[in-house]
Coordinates of all heavy atoms in Angstrom, one line a residue:
T4 N 90.7 136.0 137.5 CA 91.2 135.8 136.1 C 92.1 134.6 136.1 O 93.1 134.6 136.7 CB 91.9 137.1 135.6 OG1 91.0 138.2 135.7 CG2 92.2 136.9 134.1
G9 N 101.2 126.0 128.9 CA 101.9 124.7 128.8 C 100.9 123.6 128.6 O 99.8 123.8 128.1
A12 N 98.4 120.9 124.9 CA 97.8 121.8 123.9 C 98.4 123.2 124.0 O 97.7 124.2 123.8 CB 96.3 121.8 124.2
L19 N 94.2 131.8 123.2 CA 93.0 132.0 124.0 C 93.3 133.0 125.1 O 94.3 133.0 125.8 CB 92.7 130.6 124.7 CG 92.3 129.5 123.8 CD1 92.1 128.2 124.5 CD2 91.1 129.9 122.9
P20 N 92.3 133.9 125.3 CA 92.5 134.9 126.3 C 92.2 134.3 127.7 O 91.6 133.2 127.8 CB 91.4 136.0 126.0 CG 90.3 135.1 125.3 CD 91.1 134.1 124.5
P21 N 92.7 134.9 128.8 CA 92.4 134.4 130.1 C 90.9 134.4 130.3 O 90.2 135.2 129.7 CB 93.1 135.4 131.0 CG 94.1 136.1 130.2 CD 93.5 136.1 128.8
T33 N 77.9 131.0 147.1 CA 79.0 130.6 146.2 C 80.1 131.6 146.2 O 81.3 131.3 146.3 CB 78.5 130.5 144.7 OG1 77.4 129.5 144.7 CG2 79.6 130.0 143.8
A34 N 79.8 132.9 146.2 CA 80.8 134.0 146.3 C 81.6 133.9 147.6 O 82.8 134.0 147.7 CB 80.2 135.3 146.2
R39 N 86.5 132.2 150.7 CA 87.2 131.3 151.6 C 88.4 130.6 150.9 O 89.5 130.4 151.5 CB 86.3 130.4 152.3 CG 85.4 131.0 153.4 CD 84.6 130.0 154.2 NE 83.8 129.1 153.3 CZ 82.5 129.4 153.0 NH1 82.0 130.5 153.4 NH2 81.8 128.6 152.2
V41 N 90.0 131.4 148.2 CA 91.1 132.3 147.9 C 91.9 132.6 149.1 O 93.2 132.6 149.1 CB 90.5 133.7 147.3 CG1 91.6 134.7 147.3 CG2 90.0 133.4 145.9
A44 N 94.2 129.7 149.8 CA 95.2 129.5 148.8 C 96.3 130.6 149.0 O 97.5 130.3 148.9 CB 94.7 129.6 147.4
T49 N 103.7 128.0 149.1 CA 104.1 127.0 148.1 C 105.4 126.3 148.5 O 106.2 126.9 149.2 CB 104.2 127.6 146.7 OG1 105.2 128.6 146.8 CG2 102.9 128.2 146.2
D51 N 109.0 124.6 147.7 CA 110.1 124.7 146.7 C 110.5 123.3 146.4 O 111.5 122.8 147.0 CB 111.2 125.6 147.2 CG 110.9 127.0 147.3 OD1 110.0 127.5 146.5 OD2 111.5 127.7 148.2
R52 N 109.9 122.7 145.4 CA 110.3 121.4 145.0 C 110.4 121.4 143.5 O 109.8 122.2 142.8 CB 109.4 120.3 145.5 CG 108.0 120.5 145.0 CD 107.1 119.4 145.6 NE 105.7 119.7 145.1 CZ 104.7 118.9 145.4 NH1 104.8 117.9 146.2 NH2 103.5 119.2 145.0
R57 N 106.6 116.3 132.7 CA 106.6 116.6 131.2 C 105.2 117.0 130.8 O 104.2 116.4 131.3 CB 106.9 115.2 130.5 CG 107.0 115.4 129.1 CD 107.5 114.1 128.5 NE 108.3 114.4 127.3 CZ 108.9 113.5 126.6 NH1 108.9 112.2 127.0 NH2 109.6 113.8 125.6
A59 N 103.5 119.5 131.8 CA 102.6 120.0 132.9 C 102.0 121.3 132.6 O 102.6 122.2 131.9 CB 103.5 120.1 134.2
Y62 N 99.3 127.5 136.0 CA 98.1 128.3 136.1 C 98.5 129.6 136.8 O 99.2 129.7 137.8 CB 97.1 127.6 137.0 CG 96.8 126.2 136.5 CD1 97.5 125.1 137.0 CD2 95.9 126.0 135.5 CE1 97.3 123.8 136.5 CE2 95.7 124.7 135.0 CZ 96.4 123.6 135.5 OH 96.1 122.4 135.0
D68 N 90.2 142.4 144.2 CA 89.2 142.6 145.2 C 89.4 143.9 146.0 O 90.5 144.0 146.6 CB 89.2 141.4 146.2 CG 88.0 141.4 147.1 OD1 86.9 142.0 146.8 OD2 88.0 140.8 148.2
G69 N 88.5 144.8 145.9 CA 88.6 146.0 146.6 C 89.8 146.8 146.3 O 90.4 147.4 147.2
G70 N 90.1 146.9 145.0 CA 91.3 147.7 144.6 C 92.6 147.0 144.8 O 93.7 147.6 144.6
V74 N 98.3 137.8 142.8 CA 98.6 136.8 141.7 C 99.1 135.5 142.4 O 100.1 135.5 143.1 CB 99.6 137.4 140.7 CG1 99.9 136.3 139.6 CG2 99.1 138.7 140.1
D79 N 100.8 121.9 137.7 CA 100.4 120.6 138.0 C 101.5 119.8 138.8 O 101.2 118.9 139.6 CB 100.1 119.8 136.7 CG 98.8 120.2 136.0 OD1 98.0 120.8 136.7 OD2 98.7 120.0 134.8
M82 N 101.6 121.7 143.1 CA 100.4 122.5 143.5 C 99.9 122.2 144.9 O 99.8 121.0 145.3 CB 99.3 122.1 142.5 CG 98.0 123.0 142.6 SD 96.7 122.5 141.5 CE 97.5 122.8 139.9
P84 N 97.3 121.8 148.0 CA 95.9 121.3 148.0 C 94.9 122.5 148.0 O 93.8 122.5 147.4 CB 95.8 120.5 149.3 CG 97.2 120.0 149.5 CD 98.1 121.1 149.0
R92 N 87.1 124.8 141.8 CA 85.9 125.5 141.9 C 85.8 126.6 140.8 O 84.7 126.9 140.2 CB 85.7 126.1 143.3 CG 85.5 125.0 144.3 CD 84.3 124.2 144.1 NE 83.1 124.9 144.4 CZ 81.9 124.7 143.9 NH1 81.7 123.7 143.0 NH2 80.9 125.4 144.3
E95 N 84.9 125.1 137.5 CA 83.5 124.6 137.5 C 82.6 125.8 137.1 O 81.7 125.7 136.3 CB 83.1 124.0 138.8 CG 83.7 122.7 139.1 CD 83.5 122.2 140.5 OE1 82.8 122.9 141.3 OE2 83.9 121.0 140.8
H96 N 82.9 126.9 137.8 CA 82.0 128.1 137.5 C 82.2 128.7 136.2 O 81.3 129.2 135.5 CB 82.2 129.1 138.6 CG 81.6 128.6 139.9 ND1 80.2 128.4 140.1 CD2 82.2 128.2 141.1 CE1 80.0 128.0 141.3 NE2 81.2 127.8 142.0

Side-chain angles (χ1 to χ4, degrees):
T4 305
L19 296 177
T33 303
R39 285 189 301 273
V41 165
T49 58
D51 289 332
R52 59 182 177 180
R57 187 175 212 173
Y62 309 91
D68 189 22
V74 178
D79 287 338
M82 186 181 299
R92 294 300 285 155
E95 288 171 359
H96 290 293

